Amino acid sequence: MKSDEVGVHRKLEIQELKEIINEAFESSHIYKDKTKAFHDKYLSRITFEIGQKVLLYDSRLKWFFGKLRSRCVGLFIVTNVFDRGAIEIKSNKTGKVFKVNGHRLKVFYEGFQEKDMEVDSLERPDYIE
């Protein structure tokens, strides 16, 4: 082969390699879009309302935090909901008002209300001795 033919052949090989790389990039981009759409389909969007009770996630790095300890602090009340996920909350203890990202908040669920119920005695029945 002549040197000109070798140069042309080498340029064709490089061009084929670039096409393969571009196809791989496009297919990985399509795969990522599909997996993101699948993941986002199963996410539950939390909407906050004014007057709702929430807990604030404590994002500070703590060493030896404790496996079963709650990472949420305080009890706050939502005072305002802004666009783009910003929430204004007010502390029950101090009365301070500040803005936080909505992803740092969890809805506070109050326990079941106890009702007056008759309690049966836990005595042994007569037939068991």
Side-chain angles (χ1 to χ4, degrees):
M1 287 183 141
K2 296 181 182 176
S3 63
D4 292 338
E5 293 177 8
V6 172
V8 170
H9 183 69
R10 179 70 177 151
K11 286 182 183 179
L12 289 175
E13 287 179 347
I14 292 173
Q15 186 64 28
E16 287 178 15
L17 185 61
K18 286 182 181 179
E19 289 177 9
I20 292 171
I21 291 171
N22 286 337
E23 287 176 10
F25 179 76
E26 289 174 10
S27 65
S28 71
H29 189 69
I30 291 169
Y31 171 76
K32 287 179 184 179
D33 287 342
K34 285 183 180 180
T35 54
K36 183 180 181 337
F38 179 78
H39 178 264
D40 290 347
K41 182 171 64 172
Y42 291 104
L43 285 179
S44 59
R45 304 281 181 211
I46 299 174
T47 56
F48 296 100
E49 299 172 1
I50 296 175
Q52 188 175 16
K53 294 180 181 179
V54 294
L55 298 171
L56 179 65
Y57 178 76
D58 188 14
S59 60
R60 289 181 294 170
L61 178 63
K62 292 185 179 181
W63 298 100
F64 309 110
F65 189 78
K67 187 183 207 178
L68 300 176
R69 295 177 86 190
S70 175
R71 288 173 173 79
C72 294
V73 292
L75 181 62
F76 300 92
I77 297 176
V78 175
T79 58
N80 200 354
V81 179
F82 298 101
D83 293 339
R84 309 265 182 199
I87 309 289
E88 187 176 78
I89 57 176
K90 178 181 177 184
S91 173
N92 270 353
K93 292 181 182 177
T94 62
K96 289 184 180 181
V97 177
F98 50 96
K99 290 181 188 176
V100 295
N101 188 340
H103 293 288
R104 293 184 60 203
L105 297 177
K106 284 179 130 181
V107 177
F108 177 75
Y109 295 106
E110 295 186 37
F112 294 109
Q113 301 296 327
E114 293 184 23
K115 295 182 181 179
D116 293 331
M117 299 173 65
E118 293 182 22
V119 177
D120 293 333
S121 63
L122 299 175
E123 296 177 8
R124 291 178 104 176
D126 293 334
Y127 56 86
I128 298 178
E129 290 183 21

